[in-house]
Amino acid sequence: MDVERSSPVPPAPARARLTPARMAPALLGAALAALALGPALGWGLVLRYDLLFVPDAPLLPDRGGFPRAVPSDLVVALLSRVLPVEIVQKGLLAGIFVLAATGAAALVAPERRLARLVAAACFAWNIYLAQRLMLGQWALLLGVAGLPWAVRATGLRWTRLAAALLPAAIGGFQAMLVSALTLLPIAVARRRVPVVAGILAVYSLPWALPALGSGAVTDPAGVDAFAARADGPFGVLASLFSLGGIWSADAGLPGQESWWSATTRLLLVAAGVLGYARLRSRPERPAWWGGLAVAAGAGFCVAALGAFPAGREALKGLIALWPGFGPLRDGQVYLAPLVLVAAVGLAAALRSGAPALVGVMAPVLVLPTLAYGAFGRLAVAAYPPEWRAVQRIVNDDPAPGALLSLPWGAHRAFAWNGGRVVLDPATKLFERRVIADDTLVVGLPGGGRLRVRGEDPLNRRVAGLLAAGDYAGLPARYVLVAGSQNEFSLEPAGWKTVFRGEELHLLRR
């Protein structure tokens, strides 16, 4: 009698225990978060440029222009229904460091414990992250922090990749575009393009569909405003290679332009790139090695376009042809895969022993002025009570109609916020459509300013009415005036005061 031979059953995988070695990257990320955020971890909200959080934010606000805060604002609003918004903001900011550190460490072989910490430190503490944090672009950084997890998951089941891309999906359009640039070359090499492209496309729908129907326009002059700039003595390309070169001078760290800072950053990245290149000839070279290298090179080329007149003119032509090319203006954002290459490469170059210990400390030693909230640039504040009072009045009114926020300018600098510049809080405070200036004013090297016209057609029309003094024709039910604003005489045009505080003046028609 024939006996059927059964295939041997593989043993069940052992459940990974949370040993100190496994927890080390997460603990290092938490320590770096505490060191970098410093005063930002106190009770209150950090309000700086795009880092704008408000109490009781609406779930589905009515906004014009391109959906830049979709779905990140919805996630914040949902979390704020469960936790105080102050806790939500601190959790997201600290989570960026922890997610970045653990993800970079996961790309290094687990037996190389010190090398994993080198990758963690390098990816969670660098000038790319620092400059974007100074601009308040937490949603982008959340997606970048999850990037190594997505790279690792490109060869796994689609569910693992979908889970790894959730931080980028929350981050929105910039985070998803950076993820696409990074993952698609890896997917080509691993023959996973349909799966990777499909997940990227599905996660992009929340912002892509509203963008296509928004009717927003993109000013080609923004190419000059967002072009990469030198933040050290070696020029624009060297600044980009050292992972900096952001367009905004307000995103800079203290001392970043010094010879010491620029030289050490260059050497650290060069060592990382060289270490990554040497992985090619090693037997432990990961399957994603070539794809990530291609992504890093492509990202650097996009970032460098704005450094040359021909590149800027080409970008202007593309944007004039279709506003969808607008995200290419801020080319420096696409250095993210190069940041990851440098982190993994440095870990490969400094595997163990004393060099690896130095590599763990090197990112902080090279960029010490990120510590303590960039020497106090990140600090907490609390909204005065009149902001909540105005919010209640407007949100409790069932009558339709927009709210116009004045003075006409995209940013505010309040005394209660230490004079730090932040986006107009009114744009996220109310459940009805908010009409606000979305013109961007960018300082140029050596003085002078460049104005980038706003994207929303309605905002442009209201700007014309304000310039003409046609206050009776304003298409709004409410007007909110912040600060001492005397240039608008609204009462004669039929507007009546419903609230007046020390800082806010609310009128209704």
Side-chain angles (χ1 to χ4, degrees):
M1 182 178 63
D2 295 332
V3 179
E4 182 180 356
R5 294 184 179 180
S6 60
S7 301
V9 178
R15 181 175 297 178
R17 292 182 298 173
L18 293 179
T19 62
R22 290 182 179 274
M23 291 292 295
L27 295 175
L28 176 61
L32 293 176
L35 181 61
L37 297 176
L41 296 176
W43 188 256
L45 290 170
V46 182
L47 305 174
R48 180 181 172 90
Y49 289 97
D50 293 356
L51 189 59
L52 173 61
F53 284 59
V54 298
D56 294 331
L59 292 178
L60 297 173
D62 183 6
R63 298 198 185 104
F66 288 117
R68 300 185 180 277
V70 175
S72 55
D73 276 0
L74 174 61
V75 172
V76 170
L78 288 172
L79 292 175
S80 300
R81 297 298 191 270
V82 181
L83 297 169
V85 67
E86 294 85 355
I87 299 297
V88 172
Q89 187 193 61
K90 295 175 204 320
L92 289 169
L93 293 178
I96 289 169
F97 289 84
V98 176
L99 188 64
T102 54
L107 295 182
V108 180
E111 62 271 15
R112 297 197 175 96
R113 297 176 180 178
L114 279 178
R116 286 162 60 87
L117 295 182
V118 172
C122 189
F123 194 61
W125 190 288
N126 53 76
I127 197 168
Y128 177 95
L129 182 150
Q131 290 180 340
R132 293 291 164 177
L133 183 61
M134 291 301 101
L135 283 185
Q137 296 180 349
W138 70 269
L140 163 68
L141 291 177
L142 184 64
V144 171
L147 203 56
W149 290 106
V151 168
R152 187 170 180 265
T154 51
L156 305 177
R157 290 180 299 178
W158 72 268
T159 53
R160 296 284 296 274
L161 179 59
L165 276 172
L166 276 176
I170 294 172
F173 85 101
Q174 270 193 326
M176 287 302 298
L177 291 176
V178 169
S179 298
L181 170 70
T182 306
L183 298 183
L184 287 177
I186 300 174
V188 170
R190 307 195 71 173
R191 300 180 181 179
R192 298 268 292 175
V193 172
V195 173
V196 174
I199 296 174
L200 289 170
V202 170
Y203 277 170
S204 298
L205 291 178
W207 57 266
L209 291 179
L212 292 174
S214 66
V217 295
T218 302
D219 187 358
V223 173
D224 296 320
F226 293 116
R229 300 180 186 176
D231 53 23
F234 303 123
V236 179
L237 293 183
S239 295
L240 291 173
F241 184 76
S242 63
L243 311 180
I246 199 169
W247 51 271
S248 173
D250 296 323
L253 295 181
Q256 71 174 22
E257 296 183 354
S258 67
W259 281 84
W260 162 257
S261 176
T263 302
T264 52
R265 284 188 282 119
L266 269 175
L267 292 176
L268 193 68
V269 176
V273 171
L274 181 60
Y276 192 86
R278 289 180 174 177
L279 275 176
R280 181 179 181 181
S281 58
R282 293 180 182 174
E284 69 268 23
R285 184 185 72 184
W288 40 261
W289 181 90
L292 183 58
V294 171
F300 184 86
C301 290
V302 174
L305 275 177
F308 303 98
R312 291 195 294 270
E313 292 304 316
L315 283 177
K316 290 178 182 179
L318 290 174
I319 292 172
L321 185 65
W322 182 48
F325 288 111
L328 295 178
R329 298 181 304 180
D330 188 1
Q332 193 264 357
V333 74
Y334 299 102
L335 291 178
L338 179 59
V339 181
L340 189 54
V341 162
V344 175
L346 196 62
L350 308 174
R351 294 187 170 196
S352 60
L357 288 175
V358 173
V360 175
M361 298 182 293
V364 177
L365 295 176
V366 166
L367 200 66
T369 53
L370 174 57
Y372 197 70
F375 283 24
R377 282 166 170 76
L378 299 178
V380 294
Y383 285 94
E386 57 190 272
W387 284 88
R388 301 297 299 275
V390 167
Q391 183 188 42
R392 286 191 294 268
I393 293 173
V394 175
N395 289 348
D396 290 344
D397 183 2
L403 178 142
L404 171 63
S405 181
L406 296 175
W408 197 243
H411 293 86
R412 303 284 189 266
F414 301 109
W416 53 264
N417 190 34
R420 287 176 289 272
V421 178
V422 66
L423 285 174
D424 181 3
T427 58
K428 297 191 178 185
L429 201 64
F430 303 104
E431 294 178 354
R432 62 183 66 224
R433 174 73 157 89
V434 176
I435 304 171
D437 188 13
D438 56 351
T439 300
L440 183 64
V441 181
V442 180
L444 298 175
R449 292 183 176 273
L450 179 64
R451 295 178 62 86
V452 182
R453 290 183 301 169
E455 299 169 343
D456 189 352
L458 177 58
N459 293 346
R460 290 188 177 189
R461 182 164 69 90
V462 169
L465 294 174
L466 293 173
D470 185 7
Y471 306 135
L474 294 173
R477 174 168 174 80
Y478 287 95
V479 173
L480 178 65
V481 184
S484 55
Q485 179 61 259
N486 299 318
E487 63 178 289
F488 298 104
S489 300
L490 299 175
E491 284 83 355
W495 297 91
K496 298 180 180 179
T497 297
V498 294
F499 178 90
R500 185 185 289 275
E502 294 182 1
E503 182 176 275
L504 299 180
H505 183 196
L506 180 67
L507 302 101
R508 184 176 61 206
R509 182 160 53 188

